[in-house]
Amino acid sequence: MAKASNHRVVYRLAVHNSMKTRVALTRDLTGFFRRCYLVRAEKVVEGPVVTRAWLAAKRSEFEGLRRRTALTAGTQPFGFARFRLATMASVRNDSFARVNRAVIRCRKCPRLVAWRAEAAANPPRRYHGSAYWGKPLPGFGDHDARILIVGLAPAAHGGNRTGRMFTGDRSGDWLYGALFEHGFANQAESVDRNDGLELTDCYISAAVRCAPPANKPALDEFHNCSGYLVRELALLRRLRVVVALGKIAFDSYLRATAEAGRPLPRPRPGFGHGSRHDLANGLTLLGSYHPSQQNTFTGKLTVAMFHSVFRTARALLDGDRGRV
């Protein structure tokens, strides 16, 4: 097939129980409908909307339909009843349990799959005899949370070992200490996933779910993980404040917001420690340096600096709009 210039081919995905969603499929230069991208969603009734990343996850199912049906460019009804009804049911029935199962089973990134297994098989001496989790990490926390914390990725001998976000390493000591101090956690210690730690009004996620070599995920690995964060954002219906730990997490959250079809302010928010951005969708985005040893040992991030971010988050949730 000859290469074609990029253009959008718009279909009406479904009209089911009064919900109308319009999606656009981008024709790729080297293939036919390789990916599905949401450009706009109009939610007529309450419930989650179809997101770009969710559609991307469905592309194999869509490709099967495409092979059996001749789709032509232009605007027309997407008239596949079985796919339409299955699509809407899947969106409405999404849950944290479904997302977490998908995360734990994920093997999209061969480099990360190999590295997380290698780290588990060759632990440092202090962790000899430990049973490593060695799988991608699901999100952790209160499903009715109003504050979301977005990190970068698990540590090879932290979360990759313990099976929980920010657990078993010094970054976690900083984070959970701050959450405990400001009323989001029932304890400051985070040793393993069975230590009794519980979060209140707070949920923790990450841009990448597997431990990457040298703590540096590749661009395609960010892309492969983005859909999980998008799905979590759709499920966190009471969300009001997002704390991004580091510039990469900050940018990953903005990308996920765009993928979910939510508006972003212009100019695009910029990262800085203590930065605050009021987003058009009613959320407040706060930036913080990541509590990595590189930042905390050098004094780039101090305890006072770190706690000030969560003091602002608490004030926002308490209605003080950050006057602290």
PDB file of all heavy atoms in Angstrom, residues 126-160:
ATOM      1  N   ARG A 126      22.686  -7.009  51.555  1.00  0.00           N
ATOM      2  CA  ARG A 126      21.733  -6.717  52.633  1.00  0.00           C
ATOM      3  C   ARG A 126      20.353  -7.299  52.364  1.00  0.00           C
ATOM      4  O   ARG A 126      19.537  -7.393  53.285  1.00  0.00           O
ATOM      5  CB  ARG A 126      21.632  -5.198  52.848  1.00  0.00           C
ATOM      6  CG  ARG A 126      21.045  -4.426  51.678  1.00  0.00           C
ATOM      7  CD  ARG A 126      21.116  -2.926  51.961  1.00  0.00           C
ATOM      8  NE  ARG A 126      20.528  -2.100  50.916  1.00  0.00           N
ATOM      9  CZ  ARG A 126      21.128  -1.763  49.778  1.00  0.00           C
ATOM     10  NH1 ARG A 126      22.356  -2.198  49.541  1.00  0.00           N
ATOM     11  NH2 ARG A 126      20.519  -1.001  48.891  1.00  0.00           N
ATOM     12  N   TYR A 127      20.075  -7.687  51.117  1.00  0.00           N
ATOM     13  CA  TYR A 127      18.763  -8.247  50.796  1.00  0.00           C
ATOM     14  C   TYR A 127      18.837  -9.706  50.379  1.00  0.00           C
ATOM     15  O   TYR A 127      17.862 -10.244  49.841  1.00  0.00           O
ATOM     16  CB  TYR A 127      18.099  -7.423  49.684  1.00  0.00           C
ATOM     17  CG  TYR A 127      17.785  -6.004  50.088  1.00  0.00           C
ATOM     18  CD1 TYR A 127      18.118  -4.933  49.253  1.00  0.00           C
ATOM     19  CD2 TYR A 127      17.170  -5.723  51.308  1.00  0.00           C
ATOM     20  CE1 TYR A 127      17.843  -3.630  49.623  1.00  0.00           C
ATOM     21  CE2 TYR A 127      16.902  -4.422  51.685  1.00  0.00           C
ATOM     22  CZ  TYR A 127      17.242  -3.379  50.837  1.00  0.00           C
ATOM     23  OH  TYR A 127      16.968  -2.076  51.210  1.00  0.00           O
ATOM     24  N   HIS A 128      19.960 -10.361  50.630  1.00  0.00           N
ATOM     25  CA  HIS A 128      20.053 -11.787  50.337  1.00  0.00           C
ATOM     26  C   HIS A 128      18.991 -12.536  51.138  1.00  0.00           C
ATOM     27  O   HIS A 128      18.819 -12.307  52.342  1.00  0.00           O
ATOM     28  CB  HIS A 128      21.439 -12.323  50.698  1.00  0.00           C
ATOM     29  CG  HIS A 128      22.445 -12.056  49.623  1.00  0.00           C
ATOM     30  ND1 HIS A 128      23.752 -12.504  49.693  1.00  0.00           N
ATOM     31  CD2 HIS A 128      22.355 -11.414  48.431  1.00  0.00           C
ATOM     32  CE1 HIS A 128      24.404 -12.130  48.613  1.00  0.00           C
ATOM     33  NE2 HIS A 128      23.582 -11.464  47.835  1.00  0.00           N
ATOM     34  N   GLY A 129      18.306 -13.435  50.484  1.00  0.00           N
ATOM     35  CA  GLY A 129      17.247 -14.193  51.144  1.00  0.00           C
ATOM     36  C   GLY A 129      15.887 -13.549  51.066  1.00  0.00           C
ATOM     37  O   GLY A 129      14.888 -14.173  51.449  1.00  0.00           O
ATOM     38  N   SER A 130      15.804 -12.310  50.576  1.00  0.00           N
ATOM     39  CA  SER A 130      14.511 -11.634  50.438  1.00  0.00           C
ATOM     40  C   SER A 130      13.764 -12.189  49.235  1.00  0.00           C
ATOM     41  O   SER A 130      14.350 -12.472  48.191  1.00  0.00           O
ATOM     42  CB  SER A 130      14.707 -10.123  50.267  1.00  0.00           C
ATOM     43  OG  SER A 130      15.317  -9.561  51.402  1.00  0.00           O
ATOM     44  N   ALA A 131      12.463 -12.333  49.382  1.00  0.00           N
ATOM     45  CA  ALA A 131      11.610 -12.752  48.260  1.00  0.00           C
ATOM     46  C   ALA A 131      11.201 -11.506  47.483  1.00  0.00           C
ATOM     47  O   ALA A 131      10.388 -10.706  47.957  1.00  0.00           O
ATOM     48  CB  ALA A 131      10.382 -13.498  48.784  1.00  0.00           C
ATOM     49  N   TYR A 132      11.762 -11.320  46.315  1.00  0.00           N
ATOM     50  CA  TYR A 132      11.495 -10.124  45.514  1.00  0.00           C
ATOM     51  C   TYR A 132      10.147 -10.228  44.811  1.00  0.00           C
ATOM     52  O   TYR A 132       9.752 -11.301  44.344  1.00  0.00           O
ATOM     53  CB  TYR A 132      12.590  -9.931  44.464  1.00  0.00           C
ATOM     54  CG  TYR A 132      13.761  -9.107  44.935  1.00  0.00           C
ATOM     55  CD1 TYR A 132      14.539  -9.523  46.005  1.00  0.00           C
ATOM     56  CD2 TYR A 132      14.088  -7.908  44.315  1.00  0.00           C
ATOM     57  CE1 TYR A 132      15.617  -8.778  46.442  1.00  0.00           C
ATOM     58  CE2 TYR A 132      15.165  -7.145  44.738  1.00  0.00           C
ATOM     59  CZ  TYR A 132      15.930  -7.589  45.804  1.00  0.00           C
ATOM     60  OH  TYR A 132      16.990  -6.828  46.235  1.00  0.00           O
ATOM     61  N   TRP A 133       9.471  -9.089  44.749  1.00  0.00           N
ATOM     62  CA  TRP A 133       8.231  -8.985  43.976  1.00  0.00           C
ATOM     63  C   TRP A 133       8.535  -9.213  42.490  1.00  0.00           C
ATOM     64  O   TRP A 133       7.912 -10.036  41.831  1.00  0.00           O
ATOM     65  CB  TRP A 133       7.618  -7.611  44.230  1.00  0.00           C
ATOM     66  CG  TRP A 133       6.458  -7.230  43.365  1.00  0.00           C
ATOM     67  CD1 TRP A 133       6.491  -6.410  42.275  1.00  0.00           C
ATOM     68  CD2 TRP A 133       5.090  -7.614  43.525  1.00  0.00           C
ATOM     69  NE1 TRP A 133       5.235  -6.263  41.737  1.00  0.00           N
ATOM     70  CE2 TRP A 133       4.351  -6.984  42.483  1.00  0.00           C
ATOM     71  CE3 TRP A 133       4.415  -8.419  44.435  1.00  0.00           C
ATOM     72  CZ2 TRP A 133       2.975  -7.144  42.333  1.00  0.00           C
ATOM     73  CZ3 TRP A 133       3.045  -8.584  44.287  1.00  0.00           C
ATOM     74  CH2 TRP A 133       2.342  -7.964  43.250  1.00  0.00           C
ATOM     75  N   GLY A 134       9.433  -8.443  41.907  1.00  0.00           N
ATOM     76  CA  GLY A 134       9.925  -8.677  40.564  1.00  0.00           C
ATOM     77  C   GLY A 134       8.906  -8.531  39.452  1.00  0.00           C
ATOM     78  O   GLY A 134       9.054  -9.140  38.382  1.00  0.00           O
ATOM     79  N   LYS A 135       7.881  -7.722  39.680  1.00  0.00           N
ATOM     80  CA  LYS A 135       6.841  -7.490  38.671  1.00  0.00           C
ATOM     81  C   LYS A 135       6.530  -5.996  38.629  1.00  0.00           C
ATOM     82  O   LYS A 135       6.971  -5.238  39.506  1.00  0.00           O
ATOM     83  CB  LYS A 135       5.573  -8.277  39.023  1.00  0.00           C
ATOM     84  CG  LYS A 135       5.728  -9.785  39.014  1.00  0.00           C
ATOM     85  CD  LYS A 135       4.419 -10.492  39.234  1.00  0.00           C
ATOM     86  CE  LYS A 135       3.923 -10.427  40.664  1.00  0.00           C
ATOM     87  NZ  LYS A 135       4.708 -11.230  41.604  1.00  0.00           N
ATOM     88  N   PRO A 136       5.752  -5.530  37.643  1.00  0.00           N
ATOM     89  CA  PRO A 136       5.333  -4.121  37.652  1.00  0.00           C
ATOM     90  C   PRO A 136       4.526  -3.801  38.905  1.00  0.00           C
ATOM     91  O   PRO A 136       3.850  -4.673  39.465  1.00  0.00           O
ATOM     92  CB  PRO A 136       4.468  -4.000  36.385  1.00  0.00           C
ATOM     93  CG  PRO A 136       4.873  -5.142  35.522  1.00  0.00           C
ATOM     94  CD  PRO A 136       5.254  -6.247  36.454  1.00  0.00           C
ATOM     95  N   LEU A 137       4.587  -2.542  39.324  1.00  0.00           N
ATOM     96  CA  LEU A 137       3.893  -2.124  40.545  1.00  0.00           C
ATOM     97  C   LEU A 137       2.565  -1.453  40.225  1.00  0.00           C
ATOM     98  O   LEU A 137       2.523  -0.479  39.462  1.00  0.00           O
ATOM     99  CB  LEU A 137       4.754  -1.137  41.341  1.00  0.00           C
ATOM    100  CG  LEU A 137       6.031  -1.666  41.970  1.00  0.00           C
ATOM    101  CD1 LEU A 137       6.596  -0.643  42.933  1.00  0.00           C
ATOM    102  CD2 LEU A 137       5.808  -2.978  42.679  1.00  0.00           C
ATOM    103  N   PRO A 138       1.482  -1.928  40.831  1.00  0.00           N
ATOM    104  CA  PRO A 138       0.202  -1.216  40.703  1.00  0.00           C
ATOM    105  C   PRO A 138       0.200   0.021  41.588  1.00  0.00           C
ATOM    106  O   PRO A 138       1.062   0.184  42.463  1.00  0.00           O
ATOM    107  CB  PRO A 138      -0.811  -2.255  41.206  1.00  0.00           C
ATOM    108  CG  PRO A 138      -0.035  -3.090  42.183  1.00  0.00           C
ATOM    109  CD  PRO A 138       1.377  -3.144  41.648  1.00  0.00           C
ATOM    110  N   GLY A 139      -0.775   0.889  41.364  1.00  0.00           N
ATOM    111  CA  GLY A 139      -0.939   2.038  42.249  1.00  0.00           C
ATOM    112  C   GLY A 139      -1.321   1.595  43.646  1.00  0.00           C
ATOM    113  O   GLY A 139      -1.709   0.442  43.882  1.00  0.00           O
ATOM    114  N   PHE A 140      -1.212   2.529  44.586  1.00  0.00           N
ATOM    115  CA  PHE A 140      -1.462   2.200  45.992  1.00  0.00           C
ATOM    116  C   PHE A 140      -2.162   3.370  46.669  1.00  0.00           C
ATOM    117  O   PHE A 140      -1.769   4.517  46.485  1.00  0.00           O
ATOM    118  CB  PHE A 140      -0.126   1.908  46.705  1.00  0.00           C
ATOM    119  CG  PHE A 140      -0.225   1.854  48.208  1.00  0.00           C
ATOM    120  CD1 PHE A 140      -1.002   0.894  48.831  1.00  0.00           C
ATOM    121  CD2 PHE A 140       0.458   2.769  48.999  1.00  0.00           C
ATOM    122  CE1 PHE A 140      -1.098   0.840  50.216  1.00  0.00           C
ATOM    123  CE2 PHE A 140       0.390   2.726  50.377  1.00  0.00           C
ATOM    124  CZ  PHE A 140      -0.398   1.755  50.989  1.00  0.00           C
ATOM    125  N   GLY A 141      -3.206   3.051  47.450  1.00  0.00           N
ATOM    126  CA  GLY A 141      -3.822   4.090  48.245  1.00  0.00           C
ATOM    127  C   GLY A 141      -5.331   4.042  48.264  1.00  0.00           C
ATOM    128  O   GLY A 141      -5.960   3.027  47.942  1.00  0.00           O
ATOM    129  N   ASP A 142      -5.904   5.174  48.632  1.00  0.00           N
ATOM    130  CA  ASP A 142      -7.347   5.356  48.806  1.00  0.00           C
ATOM    131  C   ASP A 142      -8.000   5.578  47.444  1.00  0.00           C
ATOM    132  O   ASP A 142      -7.650   6.511  46.719  1.00  0.00           O
ATOM    133  CB  ASP A 142      -7.572   6.576  49.715  1.00  0.00           C
ATOM    134  CG  ASP A 142      -9.027   6.772  50.111  1.00  0.00           C
ATOM    135  OD1 ASP A 142      -9.912   6.141  49.503  1.00  0.00           O
ATOM    136  OD2 ASP A 142      -9.276   7.590  51.020  1.00  0.00           O
ATOM    137  N   HIS A 143      -8.971   4.725  47.092  1.00  0.00           N
ATOM    138  CA  HIS A 143      -9.630   4.851  45.793  1.00  0.00           C
ATOM    139  C   HIS A 143     -10.560   6.060  45.710  1.00  0.00           C
ATOM    140  O   HIS A 143     -10.997   6.420  44.612  1.00  0.00           O
ATOM    141  CB  HIS A 143     -10.412   3.572  45.481  1.00  0.00           C
ATOM    142  CG  HIS A 143      -9.527   2.375  45.298  1.00  0.00           C
ATOM    143  ND1 HIS A 143     -10.014   1.091  45.157  1.00  0.00           N
ATOM    144  CD2 HIS A 143      -8.156   2.271  45.241  1.00  0.00           C
ATOM    145  CE1 HIS A 143      -9.000   0.251  45.017  1.00  0.00           C
ATOM    146  NE2 HIS A 143      -7.872   0.940  45.076  1.00  0.00           N
ATOM    147  N   ASP A 144     -10.866   6.669  46.835  1.00  0.00           N
ATOM    148  CA  ASP A 144     -11.660   7.905  46.861  1.00  0.00           C
ATOM    149  C   ASP A 144     -10.776   9.123  47.113  1.00  0.00           C
ATOM    150  O   ASP A 144     -11.248  10.171  47.567  1.00  0.00           O
ATOM    151  CB  ASP A 144     -12.747   7.827  47.941  1.00  0.00           C
ATOM    152  CG  ASP A 144     -13.818   6.815  47.588  1.00  0.00           C
ATOM    153  OD1 ASP A 144     -14.206   6.761  46.409  1.00  0.00           O
ATOM    154  OD2 ASP A 144     -14.269   6.074  48.484  1.00  0.00           O
ATOM    155  N   ALA A 145      -9.497   8.998  46.817  1.00  0.00           N
ATOM    156  CA  ALA A 145      -8.524  10.036  47.147  1.00  0.00           C
ATOM    157  C   ALA A 145      -8.801  11.349  46.430  1.00  0.00           C
ATOM    158  O   ALA A 145      -9.251  11.367  45.284  1.00  0.00           O
ATOM    159  CB  ALA A 145      -7.118   9.548  46.794  1.00  0.00           C
ATOM    160  N   ARG A 146      -8.474  12.440  47.118  1.00  0.00           N
ATOM    161  CA  ARG A 146      -8.511  13.770  46.508  1.00  0.00           C
ATOM    162  C   ARG A 146      -7.119  14.264  46.137  1.00  0.00           C
ATOM    163  O   ARG A 146      -6.995  15.286  45.465  1.00  0.00           O
ATOM    164  CB  ARG A 146      -9.185  14.766  47.451  1.00  0.00           C
ATOM    165  CG  ARG A 146     -10.667  14.524  47.655  1.00  0.00           C
ATOM    166  CD  ARG A 146     -11.266  15.577  48.577  1.00  0.00           C
ATOM    167  NE  ARG A 146     -10.688  15.492  49.911  1.00  0.00           N
ATOM    168  CZ  ARG A 146     -10.755  16.475  50.833  1.00  0.00           C
ATOM    169  NH1 ARG A 146     -11.347  17.628  50.515  1.00  0.00           N
ATOM    170  NH2 ARG A 146     -10.228  16.305  52.016  1.00  0.00           N
ATOM    171  N   ILE A 147      -6.086  13.543  46.576  1.00  0.00           N
ATOM    172  CA  ILE A 147      -4.723  13.912  46.212  1.00  0.00           C
ATOM    173  C   ILE A 147      -4.046  12.718  45.548  1.00  0.00           C
ATOM    174  O   ILE A 147      -4.146  11.586  46.026  1.00  0.00           O
ATOM    175  CB  ILE A 147      -3.904  14.395  47.441  1.00  0.00           C
ATOM    176  CG1 ILE A 147      -2.463  14.728  47.015  1.00  0.00           C
ATOM    177  CG2 ILE A 147      -3.893  13.368  48.545  1.00  0.00           C
ATOM    178  CD1 ILE A 147      -1.632  15.350  48.126  1.00  0.00           C
ATOM    179  N   LEU A 148      -3.408  12.976  44.431  1.00  0.00           N
ATOM    180  CA  LEU A 148      -2.651  11.962  43.704  1.00  0.00           C
ATOM    181  C   LEU A 148      -1.178  12.349  43.714  1.00  0.00           C
ATOM    182  O   LEU A 148      -0.829  13.495  43.420  1.00  0.00           O
ATOM    183  CB  LEU A 148      -3.142  11.866  42.256  1.00  0.00           C
ATOM    184  CG  LEU A 148      -2.281  11.033  41.295  1.00  0.00           C
ATOM    185  CD1 LEU A 148      -2.307   9.555  41.681  1.00  0.00           C
ATOM    186  CD2 LEU A 148      -2.759  11.231  39.853  1.00  0.00           C
ATOM    187  N   ILE A 149      -0.325  11.394  44.028  1.00  0.00           N
ATOM    188  CA  ILE A 149       1.116  11.596  43.977  1.00  0.00           C
ATOM    189  C   ILE A 149       1.667  10.770  42.822  1.00  0.00           C
ATOM    190  O   ILE A 149       1.407   9.564  42.732  1.00  0.00           O
ATOM    191  CB  ILE A 149       1.794  11.181  45.297  1.00  0.00           C
ATOM    192  CG1 ILE A 149       1.267  12.052  46.441  1.00  0.00           C
ATOM    193  CG2 ILE A 149       3.312  11.296  45.197  1.00  0.00           C
ATOM    194  CD1 ILE A 149       1.644  11.545  47.804  1.00  0.00           C
ATOM    195  N   VAL A 150       2.392  11.420  41.927  1.00  0.00           N
ATOM    196  CA  VAL A 150       2.959  10.744  40.766  1.00  0.00           C
ATOM    197  C   VAL A 150       4.474  10.733  40.890  1.00  0.00           C
ATOM    198  O   VAL A 150       5.105  11.797  40.984  1.00  0.00           O
ATOM    199  CB  VAL A 150       2.542  11.426  39.449  1.00  0.00           C
ATOM    200  CG1 VAL A 150       3.115  10.657  38.247  1.00  0.00           C
ATOM    201  CG2 VAL A 150       1.024  11.515  39.341  1.00  0.00           C
ATOM    202  N   GLY A 151       5.055   9.536  40.920  1.00  0.00           N
ATOM    203  CA  GLY A 151       6.498   9.395  40.970  1.00  0.00           C
ATOM    204  C   GLY A 151       7.048   9.015  39.605  1.00  0.00           C
ATOM    205  O   GLY A 151       6.325   8.985  38.605  1.00  0.00           O
ATOM    206  N   LEU A 152       8.322   8.698  39.565  1.00  0.00           N
ATOM    207  CA  LEU A 152       8.974   8.338  38.305  1.00  0.00           C
ATOM    208  C   LEU A 152       8.832   6.846  38.019  1.00  0.00           C
ATOM    209  O   LEU A 152       8.145   6.430  37.094  1.00  0.00           O
ATOM    210  CB  LEU A 152      10.443   8.739  38.329  1.00  0.00           C
ATOM    211  CG  LEU A 152      11.315   8.245  37.167  1.00  0.00           C
ATOM    212  CD1 LEU A 152      10.747   8.691  35.823  1.00  0.00           C
ATOM    213  CD2 LEU A 152      12.749   8.702  37.338  1.00  0.00           C
ATOM    214  N   ALA A 153       9.496   6.011  38.818  1.00  0.00           N
ATOM    215  CA  ALA A 153       9.509   4.566  38.598  1.00  0.00           C
ATOM    216  C   ALA A 153       9.996   3.895  39.878  1.00  0.00           C
ATOM    217  O   ALA A 153      10.662   4.525  40.706  1.00  0.00           O
ATOM    218  CB  ALA A 153      10.424   4.211  37.424  1.00  0.00           C
ATOM    219  N   PRO A 154       9.693   2.609  40.060  1.00  0.00           N
ATOM    220  CA  PRO A 154      10.174   1.908  41.253  1.00  0.00           C
ATOM    221  C   PRO A 154      11.693   1.764  41.253  1.00  0.00           C
ATOM    222  O   PRO A 154      12.342   1.762  40.198  1.00  0.00           O
ATOM    223  CB  PRO A 154       9.505   0.527  41.147  1.00  0.00           C
ATOM    224  CG  PRO A 154       8.416   0.672  40.150  1.00  0.00           C
ATOM    225  CD  PRO A 154       8.843   1.767  39.219  1.00  0.00           C
ATOM    226  N   ALA A 155      12.246   1.631  42.443  1.00  0.00           N
ATOM    227  CA  ALA A 155      13.675   1.345  42.585  1.00  0.00           C
ATOM    228  C   ALA A 155      13.901  -0.156  42.466  1.00  0.00           C
ATOM    229  O   ALA A 155      13.062  -0.968  42.876  1.00  0.00           O
ATOM    230  CB  ALA A 155      14.183   1.851  43.927  1.00  0.00           C
ATOM    231  N   ALA A 156      15.041  -0.543  41.905  1.00  0.00           N
ATOM    232  CA  ALA A 156      15.327  -1.957  41.671  1.00  0.00           C
ATOM    233  C   ALA A 156      15.278  -2.780  42.957  1.00  0.00           C
ATOM    234  O   ALA A 156      14.811  -3.927  42.950  1.00  0.00           O
ATOM    235  CB  ALA A 156      16.697  -2.103  41.007  1.00  0.00           C
ATOM    236  N   HIS A 157      15.743  -2.189  44.074  1.00  0.00           N
ATOM    237  CA  HIS A 157      15.767  -2.917  45.336  1.00  0.00           C
ATOM    238  C   HIS A 157      14.858  -2.262  46.376  1.00  0.00           C
ATOM    239  O   HIS A 157      14.979  -2.540  47.570  1.00  0.00           O
ATOM    240  CB  HIS A 157      17.199  -3.030  45.847  1.00  0.00           C
ATOM    241  CG  HIS A 157      18.113  -3.670  44.844  1.00  0.00           C
ATOM    242  ND1 HIS A 157      18.027  -5.003  44.499  1.00  0.00           N
ATOM    243  CD2 HIS A 157      19.107  -3.137  44.064  1.00  0.00           C
ATOM    244  CE1 HIS A 157      18.930  -5.280  43.574  1.00  0.00           C
ATOM    245  NE2 HIS A 157      19.591  -4.172  43.296  1.00  0.00           N
ATOM    246  N   GLY A 158      13.946  -1.400  45.890  1.00  0.00           N
ATOM    247  CA  GLY A 158      12.910  -0.811  46.728  1.00  0.00           C
ATOM    248  C   GLY A 158      11.578  -1.433  46.354  1.00  0.00           C
ATOM    249  O   GLY A 158      11.245  -2.534  46.784  1.00  0.00           O
ATOM    250  N   GLY A 159      10.796  -0.720  45.532  1.00  0.00           N
ATOM    251  CA  GLY A 159       9.497  -1.232  45.139  1.00  0.00           C
ATOM    252  C   GLY A 159       9.562  -2.545  44.381  1.00  0.00           C
ATOM    253  O   GLY A 159       8.686  -3.401  44.523  1.00  0.00           O
ATOM    254  N   ASN A 160      10.599  -2.735  43.561  1.00  0.00           N
ATOM    255  CA  ASN A 160      10.744  -3.997  42.830  1.00  0.00           C
ATOM    256  C   ASN A 160      10.934  -5.173  43.784  1.00  0.00           C
ATOM    257  O   ASN A 160      10.606  -6.314  43.449  1.00  0.00           O
ATOM    258  CB  ASN A 160      11.929  -3.905  41.871  1.00  0.00           C
ATOM    259  CG  ASN A 160      12.046  -5.094  40.962  1.00  0.00           C
ATOM    260  OD1 ASN A 160      11.103  -5.458  40.263  1.00  0.00           O
ATOM    261  ND2 ASN A 160      13.210  -5.738  40.974  1.00  0.00           N
TER     262      ASN A 160
END
